[in-house]
Amino acid sequence: MTDERHFNPADPHATPMHGDTPFLIERRVLAGVPVLIERPPEASDVRAFCLVYHGAGAAKEGKLGVYSALAVRGWAVVIPDAALHGERVSDTPPGLNAREYVWESVRRTVAEAPALLDALEQAFGPLPVSVVGSSMGGYVTQTLARTETQVRRAAVLISSGVWEEPEVRRPELRAFLETHRPVTHAGDAPPTPLLLASGDSDPVFPLAAHHGPTAVAYREAYAQEECPENFREAVFPGVGHYTSRGMRDAVLAFFLES
């Protein structure tokens, strides 16, 4: 064994790549939250953050590579395990029904976000923050877009702002729903630029029942604040309950235009 490393320039070390550009993947625990970070090879080259929140029943590993195009453009793509998910599934309290499990995860994930943002600032410096979330992660993203001033842009995918949840009965979760329901608190989101993207064949969040009223609430709120151009919406034909390539590309374009 030797500590010396000599790489053949014609056949260098295999490393994560986006096109011909390498990037790093590292695991950290920041403010108690396990995260994966895709970033430029030199930490000093990081110039913005993208927080990526996954959906219910998933974990941070499932989002690796989705937004790596940002990592090769100088962003740190930070993918946390949502509360009660991934490495933290053992934290799940007993007695939750399926919908309460989702909303307890959302409530805890939102509550820990300020400390996570502070830890990222300590690690990389004060940098612009964008947030993207799919499905359950879209609930988190909509809330952070309203509550965290560090969030410069937010993209909400295959999600809903209606938040009518009759199965959620725990008082602390009912209070969270009433305090943060997007269709009734959309006025807190402007002027933060926000993208709402859905598939027209989504069986979990049918377009008319979820994207429709959510888009109307945001459209009215951004118009009221005289910044209608800061709200964008997109519907992807034939797309169901998943982040499609077209959605991903729309998010990348939306974030990079800043």
Side-chain angles (χ1 to χ4, degrees):
M1 297 288 291
T2 177
D3 290 333
E4 295 183 7
R5 296 188 176 188
H6 299 286
F7 298 133
N8 181 345
D11 190 12
H13 189 275
T15 189
M17 308 276 285
H18 183 82
D20 294 325
T21 306
F23 62 95
L24 294 185
I25 301 173
E26 59 181 354
R27 179 192 178 276
R28 296 195 188 191
V29 178
L30 298 174
V33 180
V35 302
L36 292 171
I37 302 176
E38 300 172 321
R39 63 168 176 83
E42 300 297 330
S44 60
D45 292 336
V46 174
R47 59 183 182 85
F49 299 129
C50 175
L51 275 174
V52 181
Y53 285 102
H54 61 74
K60 60 188 182 302
E61 288 78 9
K63 290 299 182 182
L64 274 175
V66 177
Y67 299 104
S68 57
L70 295 174
V72 301
R73 289 171 168 83
W75 293 51
V77 180
V78 183
I79 315 170
D81 273 329
L84 317 185
H85 286 73
E87 297 180 46
R88 302 199 283 168
V89 69
S90 62
D91 295 339
T92 304
L96 298 175
N97 65 42
R99 296 308 298 166
E100 289 172 338
Y101 167 74
V102 168
W103 286 102
E104 179 64 7
S105 175
V106 173
R107 185 178 73 89
R108 293 191 187 197
T109 301
V110 167
E112 72 193 14
L116 175 59
L117 290 168
D118 287 345
L120 284 169
E121 182 172 326
Q122 291 173 15
F124 295 98
L127 298 170
V129 178
S130 295
V131 184
V132 57
S134 54
S135 195
M136 180 187 77
Y139 299 158
V140 174
T141 298
Q142 290 179 89
T143 308
L144 297 184
R146 293 177 43 253
T147 61
E148 299 303 319
T149 57
Q150 300 100 312
V151 174
R152 301 288 184 86
R153 287 185 173 242
V156 180
L157 311 182
I158 57 171
S159 194
S160 172
V162 176
W163 294 17
E164 294 297 339
E165 294 281 352
E167 295 176 38
V168 174
R169 294 183 286 271
R170 295 200 173 201
E172 67 276 18
L173 298 181
R174 294 304 317 171
F176 182 90
L177 289 168
E178 298 301 330
T179 301
H180 296 292
R181 182 177 289 111
V183 294
T184 51
H185 297 284
D188 297 336
T192 302
L194 187 145
L195 169 68
L196 180 71
S198 304
D200 72 355
S201 301
D202 189 337
V204 177
F205 296 117
L207 202 67
H210 293 277
H211 179 101
T214 304
V216 166
Y218 282 127
R219 198 180 304 121
E220 292 177 350
Y222 280 79
Q224 180 73 25
E225 294 300 317
E226 300 183 347
C227 55
E229 70 282 357
N230 285 5
F231 173 64
R232 317 277 182 85
E233 63 173 307
V235 175
F236 291 82
V239 172
H241 194 66
Y242 60 91
T243 300
S244 72
R245 294 183 182 184
M247 284 184 190
R248 174 206 60 197
D249 293 346
V251 172
L252 294 173
F254 181 62
F255 286 171
L256 290 171
E257 74 180 36
S258 65

